[in-house]
Amino acid sequence: MKALVYLGPGKNALEERPRPDITASTDAIVKITKTTICGTDLHILKGDVPTCQPGRILGHEGVGIIERVGPAVTTFKPGDRVLISCISACGKCVYCRKLMYSHCTTGGWILGNSIDGCQAEFVRIPYAETSLYRVPDGADEEALVMLSDILPTGFECGVLDGKVAPGSTVAIVGSGPIGLAALLTAQLYSPAEIIMIDLDDNRLEVARKFGATQTVNSADGKAADRVMAMTGKRGVDTAIEAVGIPATFELCGEIVAPGGTIANIGVHGKKVDLHLESLWDRNISITTRLVDTVTIPMLFKTVGSHRIDPKLLITHRFKLDHILDAYDTFSAAAKTKALKVIIEA
Ligand SMILES: NC(=O)c1ccc[n+]([C@@H]2O[C@H](COP(=O)([O-])OP(=O)(O)OC[C@H]3O[C@@H](n4cnc5c(N)ncnc54)[C@H](O)[C@@H]3O)[C@@H](O)[C@H]2O)c1
Ligand SMILES: [Zn+2]
Ligand SMILES: [Zn+2]
């Protein structure tokens, strides 16, 4: 089969690989129909993710059709259409029993990381019963690819942990796919204001189309002043960090209102300062989270009922044969205006 393989920092290639086999009774083999590339795959290509070693097939998002199941899998059978969660969950360990699948002691984020992923014609999914979700009849496959990772990430780590509430004021720092997913799902709770902050005017324009009430280009370093002016010097009830650098986390600390919440989504690779000298008396909460994807079943329903349309995030489409072009397009997002690219296997 064809597969996109990580070959070490800065190097990837489309290679011919043997089809995966069932190695545990709880496995399923899924024939991929649609997959995509995540910002995290670009982190891997930079060499930022040491658990992902050269030779690994990348990819942790996608939909497909069950080809074979191990003897312990009873809820799926060959031919079933399934959505793949980016998080593999055994369903039995102490963290899975708390619905904290991201910390599953033998799973978590392993797909396209420490085991082969889904940017290929076939993939082996461990713990199939608790890591795959049946695709409802008539559902749009492309829209559902957004449910493997980015929609639950924006929703769980940003909107739910950030306690977005009716009539509240929200700021989302970072208008990439994850920040936009938080913007789409925040609207399920009818906040009064959603302010999107980014450096890229194109992404801010997209944010306005997706429902942002105000946008701020923070390139001049005055974003905090502007957000305070927009909120009557009060600040925001929820500040969602969706970039993953020190400056954007610190900005959240500057704009959070007394009693508010900073919900961090970004993956941080560098030391970040927490300014308790200005935050200690503000009655705020700070949350951090690795996406658990426990909200996938609920998101299926909101997508099915057209309450949210994740297809808005798709900007480009490629065949698996041209996945290297897809990587080029996705990694030059400022120039190509790419958000999410769909790859058809
Ligand atoms: N917690 C989790 O489980 C989880 C899951 C998936 C992704 N993530 C992380 O979420 C973050 C966002 O992901 P993404 O795919 O949207 O990334 P992205 O790189 O596509 O988007 C980031 C956005 O931030 C903007 N930006 C960069 N510097 C900025 C600054 N100084 N001020 C304002 N905006 C700035 C960029 O212009 C871009 O639009 C990443 O750190 C990613 O690794 C976390
Ligand atoms: Zn991802
Ligand atoms: Zn587990």
mmCIF file of all heavy atoms in Angstrom, residues 89-96 101 103-107, ligand 3:
data_model
loop_
_atom_site.group_PDB
_atom_site.id
_atom_site.type_symbol
_atom_site.label_atom_id
_atom_site.label_comp_id
_atom_site.label_asym_id
_atom_site.label_seq_id
_atom_site.Cartn_x
_atom_site.Cartn_y
_atom_site.Cartn_z
ATOM 1 N N ALA A 89 -8.040 4.586 22.959
ATOM 2 C CA ALA A 89 -8.444 4.417 24.359
ATOM 3 C C ALA A 89 -8.767 2.955 24.631
ATOM 4 O O ALA A 89 -9.613 2.369 23.948
ATOM 5 C CB ALA A 89 -9.664 5.282 24.658
ATOM 6 N N CYS A 90 -8.125 2.370 25.662
ATOM 7 C CA CYS A 90 -8.397 0.967 25.994
ATOM 8 C C CYS A 90 -9.777 0.820 26.610
ATOM 9 O O CYS A 90 -10.372 -0.252 26.563
ATOM 10 C CB CYS A 90 -7.314 0.421 26.927
ATOM 11 S SG CYS A 90 -7.500 0.923 28.654
ATOM 12 N N GLY A 91 -10.286 1.917 27.212
ATOM 13 C CA GLY A 91 -11.621 1.879 27.819
ATOM 14 C C GLY A 91 -11.646 1.246 29.197
ATOM 15 O O GLY A 91 -12.686 1.223 29.843
ATOM 16 N N LYS A 92 -10.495 0.742 29.665
ATOM 17 C CA LYS A 92 -10.499 -0.039 30.915
ATOM 18 C C LYS A 92 -9.586 0.535 31.992
ATOM 19 O O LYS A 92 -9.787 0.254 33.175
ATOM 20 C CB LYS A 92 -10.024 -1.469 30.620
ATOM 21 C CG LYS A 92 -10.989 -2.244 29.755
ATOM 22 C CD LYS A 92 -10.452 -3.627 29.482
ATOM 23 C CE LYS A 92 -11.457 -4.410 28.656
ATOM 24 N NZ LYS A 92 -10.879 -5.631 28.129
ATOM 25 N N CYS A 93 -8.556 1.280 31.625
ATOM 26 C CA CYS A 93 -7.568 1.713 32.618
ATOM 27 C C CYS A 93 -8.169 2.820 33.485
ATOM 28 O O CYS A 93 -9.247 3.342 33.208
ATOM 29 C CB CYS A 93 -6.286 2.195 31.931
ATOM 30 S SG CYS A 93 -6.434 3.792 31.103
ATOM 31 N N VAL A 94 -7.433 3.209 34.520
ATOM 32 C CA VAL A 94 -7.950 4.179 35.490
ATOM 33 C C VAL A 94 -8.313 5.508 34.806
ATOM 34 O O VAL A 94 -9.329 6.117 35.139
ATOM 35 C CB VAL A 94 -6.946 4.351 36.658
ATOM 36 C CG1 VAL A 94 -5.597 4.843 36.172
ATOM 37 C CG2 VAL A 94 -7.488 5.280 37.719
ATOM 38 N N TYR A 95 -7.524 5.943 33.828
ATOM 39 C CA TYR A 95 -7.832 7.219 33.153
ATOM 40 C C TYR A 95 -9.009 7.072 32.197
ATOM 41 O O TYR A 95 -9.862 7.946 32.126
ATOM 42 C CB TYR A 95 -6.595 7.759 32.428
ATOM 43 C CG TYR A 95 -5.504 8.144 33.389
ATOM 44 C CD1 TYR A 95 -4.296 7.446 33.417
ATOM 45 C CD2 TYR A 95 -5.689 9.180 34.303
ATOM 46 C CE1 TYR A 95 -3.308 7.780 34.322
ATOM 47 C CE2 TYR A 95 -4.700 9.511 35.211
ATOM 48 C CZ TYR A 95 -3.511 8.808 35.220
ATOM 49 O OH TYR A 95 -2.550 9.135 36.121
ATOM 50 N N CYS A 96 -9.063 5.964 31.458
ATOM 51 C CA CYS A 96 -10.208 5.748 30.555
ATOM 52 C C CYS A 96 -11.508 5.705 31.353
ATOM 53 O O CYS A 96 -12.526 6.233 30.927
ATOM 54 C CB CYS A 96 -10.028 4.472 29.750
ATOM 55 S SG CYS A 96 -8.864 4.655 28.380
ATOM 56 N N TYR A 101 -9.412 9.878 28.127
ATOM 57 C CA TYR A 101 -8.801 8.958 27.165
ATOM 58 C C TYR A 101 -7.386 9.380 26.755
ATOM 59 O O TYR A 101 -6.564 8.552 26.391
ATOM 60 C CB TYR A 101 -9.654 8.862 25.893
ATOM 61 C CG TYR A 101 -11.028 8.277 26.070
ATOM 62 C CD1 TYR A 101 -12.042 8.584 25.163
ATOM 63 C CD2 TYR A 101 -11.325 7.408 27.103
ATOM 64 C CE1 TYR A 101 -13.305 8.042 25.286
ATOM 65 C CE2 TYR A 101 -12.591 6.861 27.240
ATOM 66 C CZ TYR A 101 -13.580 7.177 26.329
ATOM 67 O OH TYR A 101 -14.828 6.651 26.447
ATOM 68 N N HIS A 103 -5.047 10.194 28.421
ATOM 69 C CA HIS A 103 -4.018 9.671 29.323
ATOM 70 C C HIS A 103 -4.114 8.161 29.494
ATOM 71 O O HIS A 103 -3.528 7.609 30.436
ATOM 72 C CB HIS A 103 -4.075 10.416 30.664
ATOM 73 C CG HIS A 103 -3.616 11.835 30.522
ATOM 74 N ND1 HIS A 103 -2.294 12.209 30.630
ATOM 75 C CD2 HIS A 103 -4.292 12.961 30.187
ATOM 76 C CE1 HIS A 103 -2.182 13.504 30.397
ATOM 77 N NE2 HIS A 103 -3.387 13.986 30.115
ATOM 78 N N CYS A 104 -4.827 7.504 28.581
ATOM 79 C CA CYS A 104 -4.917 6.028 28.602
ATOM 80 C C CYS A 104 -3.513 5.444 28.778
ATOM 81 O O CYS A 104 -2.580 5.835 28.063
ATOM 82 C CB CYS A 104 -5.536 5.525 27.285
ATOM 83 S SG CYS A 104 -5.536 3.731 27.153
ATOM 84 N N THR A 105 -3.366 4.519 29.745
ATOM 85 C CA THR A 105 -2.012 4.057 30.101
ATOM 86 C C THR A 105 -1.345 3.262 28.967
ATOM 87 O O THR A 105 -0.126 3.155 28.921
ATOM 88 C CB THR A 105 -2.047 3.183 31.381
ATOM 89 O OG1 THR A 105 -3.023 2.158 31.194
ATOM 90 C CG2 THR A 105 -2.423 4.019 32.599
ATOM 91 N N THR A 106 -2.153 2.711 28.051
ATOM 92 C CA THR A 106 -1.539 1.987 26.925
ATOM 93 C C THR A 106 -1.977 2.579 25.580
ATOM 94 O O THR A 106 -1.761 1.974 24.529
ATOM 95 C CB THR A 106 -1.917 0.482 26.966
ATOM 96 O OG1 THR A 106 -3.347 0.387 27.081
ATOM 97 C CG2 THR A 106 -1.261 -0.221 28.134
ATOM 98 N N GLY A 107 -2.628 3.753 25.629
ATOM 99 C CA GLY A 107 -3.083 4.383 24.383
ATOM 100 C C GLY A 107 -2.757 5.864 24.422
ATOM 101 O O GLY A 107 -1.603 6.241 24.566
HETATM 102 ZN ZN ZN B 3 -7.090 3.281 28.868
#
